[in-house]
Amino acid sequence: MMLLDPGFLIIQTLNGLQLSMLLFLLSIGLSVVFGLMNFINLAHGTLYMIGAYLALSAVRLFDSFWIALILAPLGVAMVGAVLYALLLRHLQSRGPMSQVLVTFGLIFVGIDAVRMIWGPLPHGLPVPDVLDGRMEILGEVYPTYRLFIIAVGIVALIGLYFGLERTRLGAMVRAGVDDRTMTAALGINIDRVFFLVFCLGCWLAGVAGVISAPVFSVFPGMDMSILILTLIVVVVGGPGSLWGAAVGSLLIGMVDTYGQILAPEFARATIYALMAAILLLRPHGLLPARPIH
Amino acid sequence: MNPAGISLQSVDAGYDHGHVLQGLSFSVEPGEMVALLGRNGSGKTTALKTIMGILRAQSGRIEFSDIDITDKATYKIAGLGIAYVPETRGIFASLSVHEHLTLVGAKSGWSLDRIYDTFPRLAERRSHRGSKLSGGEQQMLAIARALRMGPRLLILDEPTEGLAPVIVEEIATIIEGLKHEGMTMVIVEQNYAFAARIADRIHIIGRGRLRWSGTPAEFDADDEVRFTWLGI
């Protein structure tokens, strides 16, 4: 019955869209990095959490959400760069098992680190004044800030599309995903391209952390549930592909949102069942980047 | 263009399950066009991959223009001026023809205008993605992309394999043009008539070693060598 009420549908679709856009910001970096180097970084959610905490500190220091939105993702990108230089770089030539174990360990290091620095209690971040209101959309009233999250995701999608499809660096990334060896044989330092993409992915995870902080509470371990969904998005969408990450995010964001309302006790099970079904039908995901030979 | 020579000295290399190259030595002089011949599995493609650093030499030494490139990374070897057209052509499915040609581009390389004049088919297809090209178009694109790099040594692995005779002729014309310009080239060929026609010198590889070396005329005259190492 609820499904026939247009007001309900509009609100829930917007909620689903909001989750989808956060998932997109998180999954695109993970997905392209995986597509380029077969490198899996389970600590990607940790970078999201660090983004939220850095935003907390930046707001305390500068009393401005917007300054936090600029500084915190840069901080996250720097954390990512250091992590890469000290640790992750050495895991590239190792098999997936070492990558999974080490980056899985980093998740717990991350949780303990934020607990030591910011304390164990949950924090909240106020919604910036300009966006602290409600807007009417299709006859329904919806919080402006949540529309802002959706807008950030759409802007990121468009920006990444142009970056990937219209720039030389984007062409190098696509070439690297298609055929890494040939890309190197053209004189392109694929490791450096990978590093840039990795840092950009961390930056986007940081952005997701900052913009989600005013909506969800900020606490040690806030990364866990969204990390699982992000990994599912990468697998379902197909690694290495912008459209794969976009479509996967939309699908998982919507199914999770509607699932929580229509059948809360089965919501997560539904997502896993959906993932299993998609992988049975399309083992490489919905829109994989790599051509299937 | 400033052509450069290359030499392999007692190179051992191969895959996990064993050595394909077993003390392979040969050299190519600046401006020379060398054809590498040999049966399937004799180590020709492995030799090219080892030059490019795609496979690591376990021992021996590879020198390009008097620089030791044995342990250099692939992108650095390419950066020194070796362009590689692999047997699989290495066309990127998600890049357009034009993107293939703008991905790399050295000052010493061919201009886009010259590329599109020489390969009119690529000009027609400039916005098509790699996955939409025919085999002949892919081969031309792979060669054109290599020329954009302004190489001092061009390596071609079976450039005529599986192509229609018309296209083979077109590619032969381009390769002969490059030869007249003095480009150093190494070409692996199964089409022996084609190889004998364009090469200055022929090296025959058998079971990972150099077995014979000589001019195309000597190759034509030596029935025994052709029978022993190529089975013809």
Side-chain angles (χ1 to χ4, degrees):
Chain A
M1 280 308 101
M2 280 188 293
L3 282 174
L4 295 175
D5 175 10
F8 168 83
L9 281 179
I10 291 168
I11 297 289
Q12 292 311 324
T13 302
L14 287 170
N15 284 344
L17 214 51
Q18 177 204 313
L19 177 60
S20 299
M21 290 305 150
L22 285 176
L23 286 176
F24 173 72
L25 290 175
L26 282 165
S27 61
I28 183 62
L30 206 58
S31 175
V32 173
V33 157
F34 186 71
L36 258 181
M37 304 298 249
N38 281 326
F39 184 83
I40 187 78
N41 176 20
L42 291 182
H44 202 67
T46 304
L47 295 160
Y48 159 85
M49 175 172 67
I50 292 174
Y53 272 102
L54 287 179
L56 208 66
S57 294
V59 167
R60 280 179 193 158
L61 268 172
F62 303 103
D63 198 28
S64 158
F65 174 81
W66 304 107
I67 291 179
L69 184 56
I70 292 168
L71 292 183
L74 287 177
V76 173
M78 276 164 63
V79 170
V82 170
L83 218 52
Y84 178 82
L86 294 183
L87 191 62
L88 303 181
R89 188 162 59 94
H90 307 289
L91 294 174
Q92 264 179 36
S93 50
R94 308 282 192 86
M97 205 41 163
S98 336
Q99 296 172 4
V100 165
L101 287 176
V102 170
T103 58
F104 192 65
L106 279 178
I107 294 177
F108 298 104
V109 174
I111 291 175
D112 274 348
V114 297
R115 191 179 285 138
M116 280 162 67
I117 300 171
W118 286 280
L121 297 175
H123 296 274
L125 199 66
V127 171
D129 290 341
V130 209
L131 301 174
D132 192 11
R134 286 162 182 281
M135 277 175 86
E136 214 184 284
I137 178 161
L138 299 168
E140 297 298 319
V141 177
Y142 198 74
T144 311
Y145 185 78
R146 288 171 174 251
L147 292 174
F148 166 73
I149 292 183
I150 297 172
V152 170
I154 293 171
V155 168
L157 176 61
I158 295 170
L160 287 168
Y161 172 76
F162 279 100
L164 210 51
E165 293 292 328
R166 297 288 144 86
T167 67
R168 198 153 157 256
L169 180 64
M172 284 181 190
V173 171
R174 278 180 292 137
V177 171
D178 281 351
D179 185 341
R180 196 180 152 199
T181 307
M182 192 63 223
T183 308
L186 296 175
I188 293 166
N189 185 347
I190 197 81
D191 288 328
R192 190 188 294 161
V193 173
F194 172 70
F195 177 66
L196 289 174
V197 169
F198 181 83
C199 290
L200 182 66
C202 295
W203 184 82
L204 285 168
V207 170
V210 178
I211 62 174
S212 64
V215 179
F216 308 116
S217 65
V218 180
F219 62 96
M222 65 181 280
D223 51 330
M224 290 306 270
S225 63
I226 202 150
L227 171 71
I228 305 281
L229 287 180
T230 303
L231 291 171
I232 293 175
V233 166
V234 173
V235 170
V236 162
S241 126
L242 179 70
W243 296 118
V247 169
S249 301
L250 215 53
L251 189 66
I252 299 301
M254 289 298 172
V255 170
D256 191 61
T257 304
Y258 276 98
Q260 302 278 5
I261 293 157
L262 299 177
E265 60 272 37
F266 300 119
R268 276 293 145 86
T270 310
I271 293 220
Y272 291 123
L274 179 71
M275 175 174 76
I278 289 174
L279 289 184
L280 273 175
L281 295 171
R282 296 184 65 102
H284 298 273
L286 291 172
L287 295 168
R290 226 184 287 263
I292 301 156
H293 296 293
Chain B
M1 191 166 31
N2 177 17
I6 188 160
S7 73
L8 282 73
Q9 296 150 23
S10 312
V11 171
D12 282 10
Y15 304 86
D16 296 337
H17 47 83
H19 287 192
V20 179
L21 304 187
Q22 307 197 356
L24 178 67
S25 301
F26 70 80
S27 67
V28 182
E29 301 305 316
E32 189 180 37
M33 160 126 205
V34 160
L36 294 183
L37 307 185
R39 286 197 169 105
N40 280 333
S42 59
K44 300 167 306 223
T45 296
T46 306
L48 302 187
K49 284 186 176 171
T50 309
I51 292 174
M52 289 310 295
I54 295 166
L55 290 174
R56 287 277 149 232
Q58 278 119 14
S59 65
R61 185 178 164 90
I62 305 173
E63 274 182 20
F64 172 64
S65 180
D66 296 326
I67 301 168
D68 183 0
I69 60 165
T70 319
D71 296 317
K72 282 202 191 305
T74 299
Y75 82 94
K76 284 188 178 158
I77 293 172
L80 285 170
I82 306 184
Y84 174 52
V85 178
E87 196 179 358
T88 50
R89 292 162 190 148
I91 295 305
F92 305 115
S94 65
L95 268 66
S96 70
V97 166
H98 195 69
E99 282 176 322
H100 277 87
L101 297 171
T102 47
L103 194 60
V104 287
K107 282 201 187 80
S108 55
W110 283 30
S111 70
L112 279 174
D113 287 343
R114 187 173 175 200
I115 293 278
Y116 284 137
D117 281 347
T118 313
F119 303 89
R121 280 299 283 266
L122 296 183
E124 285 166 30
R125 304 238 155 196
R126 56 191 291 159
S127 59
H128 289 232
R129 299 226 174 205
S131 53
K132 306 280 181 221
L133 300 178
S134 72
E137 288 162 350
Q138 287 189 14
Q139 190 62 59
M140 288 184 193
L141 180 55
I143 295 173
R145 176 178 62 184
L147 294 174
R148 285 282 288 158
M149 295 167 68
R152 305 170 65 201
L153 166 65
L154 177 61
I155 295 177
L156 302 159
D157 195 350
E158 302 218 19
T160 64
E161 191 192 17
L163 300 181
V166 192
I167 315 248
V168 172
E169 244 352 274
E170 218 171 308
I171 287 172
T173 310
I174 287 157
I175 293 174
E176 280 171 338
L178 291 170
K179 186 178 156 181
H180 285 301
E181 283 180 27
M183 173 87 77
T184 315
M185 280 184 278
V186 175
I187 182 168
V188 163
E189 257 305 334
Q190 296 284 2
N191 181 345
Y192 303 128
F194 178 74
R197 181 180 120 200
I198 58 175
D200 297 316
R201 201 148 54 110
I202 289 172
H203 291 320
I204 295 180
I205 297 178
R207 295 198 296 270
R209 300 183 75 115
L210 183 68
R211 301 295 175 174
W212 185 88
S213 189
T215 64
E218 288 163 347
F219 174 74
D220 280 335
D222 200 331
D223 290 341
E224 200 192 320
V225 157
R226 276 186 285 134
F227 182 76
T228 311
W229 296 110
L230 304 175
I232 52 170

